[in-house]
């Protein structure tokens, strides 16, 4: 892996239900009874191990390793990777203060990331045997991509084709935001997210600033950091096509994960699967797929997979080569909940902490498109926060609300 700064695990006590001022904002742990983070480790991880076990005809070695990981996750302590693992030294540096602790007492971002790295070891993804390179989440991704819900969403593009460009742009931007509900890891324990999505469910909407950063014909280079594959990646690709077609961007770099991560996170293979799904569809979806295929061939759309995207670190600790890439972009668009946690820091910030303050370190303009599925949130207006709290709903974690937050190069955000 590329060289990165080791994680500083100064979490203190478990993350409680109330956020704290910035100077005191606690790292989110998983040891708070009833917290979202605890539910992920206690419920989602065991359920995922069962799903992966049932999806493949693994042999005794894989079953034993999955049993051991389940026991460690539930009742044991964090152990380092085996010495034979090629990234043993890197993970040892990242976890040097965490090994020997309960998984629940480690920072949530770190423990969740390390769980997926250990899961890949358990099923032999990085080994030299027959299971090398076999994505343990591929059956779930492919089943979703073949589903009737995708058919319906692709047919809906025909109704958008004749809209004025600005109306179409708004519709496609919102589709990309709400596509983040299509998160297989979230559905392992939560069930499908609420079917409806309206502008009123956006807790922050800086879309006007985003379009100001991307005027047509300006020759922009846009970086898009993908989140989930399948039903989320398809609307992301459709938005990318719109940006290219209407010259909001001359070139787009799509950043994906270098290996399977967080159940449904997108890799290059998932981009290819989605492009094929689009290109083989009839009518408008097929035309979009063909344009994107050509954009890949001409270099107007490029896919990259930096090792840092599978690191258990915030973006504030990104390596210099990735920082330089983002600095060269007109704007970097980060999709999804995990990218948001890494962007602003996985801590219990006061909800009204300005988004621009939490992203001031980022090299260039940055936009976050996210459906809310974890506790972290910044950049809310006080009146919005008060209305959300009065609702009594689990608005932070249920996938029923979303945001579009943008910070310009000069630190502007709404």
């Amino acid at each position: 892996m590329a060289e990165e700064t080791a994680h500083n695990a100064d979490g203190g006590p478990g993350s409680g239900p109330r956020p704290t001022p910035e100077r005191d904002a606690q790292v989110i742990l998983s040891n708070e009874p009833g917290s979202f983070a605890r539910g992920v480790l206690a419920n989602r991880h065991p359920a995922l191990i069962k799903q992966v076990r049932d999806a493949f005809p693994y042999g005794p070695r894989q079953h034993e390793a999955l049993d051991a990981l389940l026991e460690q996750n539930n009742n044991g302590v964090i152990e380092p990777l085996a010495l034979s693992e090629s990234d043993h030294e890197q993970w040892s540096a990242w976890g040097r203060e965490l090994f020997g602790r309960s998984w629940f007492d480690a920072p949530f971002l770190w423990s969740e990331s390390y769980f997926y790295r250990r899961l890949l070891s358990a099923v032999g993804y990085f080994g030299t045997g027959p299971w090398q390179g076999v994505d343990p989440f591929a059956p779930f991704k492919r089943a979703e991509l073949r589903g009737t819900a995708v058919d319906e969403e692709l047919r809906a593009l025909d109704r958008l084709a004749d809209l004025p460009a600005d109306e179409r742009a708004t519709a496609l931007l919102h589709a990309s935001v709400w596509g983040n509900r299509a998160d297989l890891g979230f559905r392992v324990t939560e069930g499908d997210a609420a079917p409806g999505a309206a502008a009123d469910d956006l807790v922050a909407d800086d879309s006007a600033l985003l379009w100001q950063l991307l005027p047509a014909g300006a020759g922009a280079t846009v970086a898009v950091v993908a989140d989930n594959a399948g039903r989320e990646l398809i609307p992301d690709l459709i938005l990318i096509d719109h940006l290219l077609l209407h010259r909001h961007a001359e070139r787009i770099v799509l950043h994906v994960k270098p290996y399977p991560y967080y159940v449904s996170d997108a890799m290059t293979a998932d981009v290819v699967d989605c492009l094929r799904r689009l290109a083989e569809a009839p009518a408008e979806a097929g035309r979009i797929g063909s344009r994107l295929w050509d954009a890949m061939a001409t270099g107007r759309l490029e896919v990259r997979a930096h090792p840092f995207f599978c690191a258990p670190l915030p973006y504030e600790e990104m390596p210099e080569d990735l920082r330089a890439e983002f600095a060269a972009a007109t704007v970097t668009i980060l999709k999804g909940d995990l990218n948001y946690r890494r962007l602003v820091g996985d801590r219990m910030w006061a909800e009204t902490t300005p988004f621009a303050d939490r992203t001031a370190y980022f090299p260039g303009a940055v936009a976050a498109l996210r459906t809310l599925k974890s506790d972290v949130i910044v950049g809310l207006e006080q009146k919005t926060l008060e209305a959300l709290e009065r609702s009594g709903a689990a608005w932070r974690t249920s996938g029923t609300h979303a945001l579009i937050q943008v910070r310009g190069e000069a630190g502007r955000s709404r």
Side-chain angles (χ1 to χ4, degrees), residues 226-297:
D227 188 39
N228 296 315
R231 284 179 62 195
E232 180 182 352
L233 186 56
I234 282 182
D236 292 345
L237 289 168
I238 293 168
L239 178 62
I240 285 171
D241 170 71
H242 182 88
L243 295 177
L244 291 171
L245 181 65
H246 293 274
R247 300 192 63 210
H248 293 287
E250 292 300 320
R251 178 171 173 269
I252 292 180
V253 178
L254 178 61
H255 295 273
V256 298
K257 303 296 192 300
Y259 55 78
Y261 202 58
Y262 279 67
V263 189
S264 56
D265 281 24
M267 302 187 298
T268 302
D270 302 308
V271 175
V272 174
D273 286 345
C274 288
L275 287 176
R276 285 201 179 109
R277 184 74 161 89
L278 283 165
E280 293 169 359
E284 181 66 8
R287 290 188 285 272
I288 291 171
S290 295
R291 287 196 297 263
L292 289 169
W293 202 277
D294 290 343
M296 291 279 286

Side-chain angles (χ1 to χ4, degrees), residues 126-347:
F126 293 113
T128 57
W131 294 103
Q132 182 182 28
V134 177
D135 181 355
F137 313 128
F140 317 136
K141 297 176 183 176
R142 291 170 184 162
E144 181 189 67
L145 200 56
R146 291 193 300 264
T148 57
V150 174
D151 291 330
E152 294 170 4
E153 289 160 0
L154 295 185
R155 283 194 293 268
L157 292 171
D158 297 336
R159 300 193 294 273
L160 297 178
D162 297 326
L163 288 178
D166 58 343
E167 293 182 28
R168 180 179 170 87
T170 297
L172 295 180
L173 179 62
H174 285 191
S176 180
V177 173
W178 288 108
N180 183 234
R181 291 177 302 167
D183 178 338
L184 296 170
F186 183 68
R187 295 207 302 269
V188 165
T189 52
E190 301 298 329
D192 238 327
D200 289 346
D201 295 323
L202 289 174
V203 301
D205 184 4
D206 295 343
S207 53
L209 179 54
L210 178 59
W211 293 119
Q212 288 174 23
L213 293 169
L214 295 173
T221 295
V222 176
V224 177
V225 183
D227 188 39
N228 296 315
R231 284 179 62 195
E232 180 182 352
L233 186 56
I234 282 182
D236 292 345
L237 289 168
I238 293 168
L239 178 62
I240 285 171
D241 170 71
H242 182 88
L243 295 177
L244 291 171
L245 181 65
H246 293 274
R247 300 192 63 210
H248 293 287
E250 292 300 320
R251 178 171 173 269
I252 292 180
V253 178
L254 178 61
H255 295 273
V256 298
K257 303 296 192 300
Y259 55 78
Y261 202 58
Y262 279 67
V263 189
S264 56
D265 281 24
M267 302 187 298
T268 302
D270 302 308
V271 175
V272 174
D273 286 345
C274 288
L275 287 176
R276 285 201 179 109
R277 184 74 161 89
L278 283 165
E280 293 169 359
E284 181 66 8
R287 290 188 285 272
I288 291 171
S290 295
R291 287 196 297 263
L292 289 169
W293 202 277
D294 290 343
M296 291 279 286
T298 60
R300 296 183 69 211
L301 173 60
E302 181 181 351
V303 178
R304 296 185 187 171
H306 195 286
F308 183 76
F309 292 119
C310 288
L313 307 175
Y315 280 109
E316 201 160 4
E317 299 182 37
M318 73 180 83
E320 288 304 315
D321 59 340
L322 189 58
R323 178 177 291 274
E325 284 202 45
F326 290 153
T330 305
V331 62
T332 298
I333 300 173
L334 290 96
K335 282 297 311 296
D337 204 73
L338 175 60
N339 278 323
Y340 190 85
R341 291 164 59 192
R342 298 182 71 187
L343 176 65
V344 305
D346 205 34
R347 293 172 177 258

Side-chain angles (χ1 to χ4, degrees), residues 72 77-85 87-89 91-93 95-96 98-101 103 110 114 117-118 121:
Q72 287 179 25
V77 297
I78 302 170
E79 298 179 359
L81 292 176
L83 289 172
S84 59
E85 299 277 5
D87 53 350
H88 165 84
E89 185 175 344
W91 277 98
S92 293
R96 62 175 177 261
L98 303 175
F99 297 126
R101 291 193 197 181
W103 287 74
W110 194 96
Y114 192 54
R117 176 60 187 84
R118 289 289 307 277
S121 289

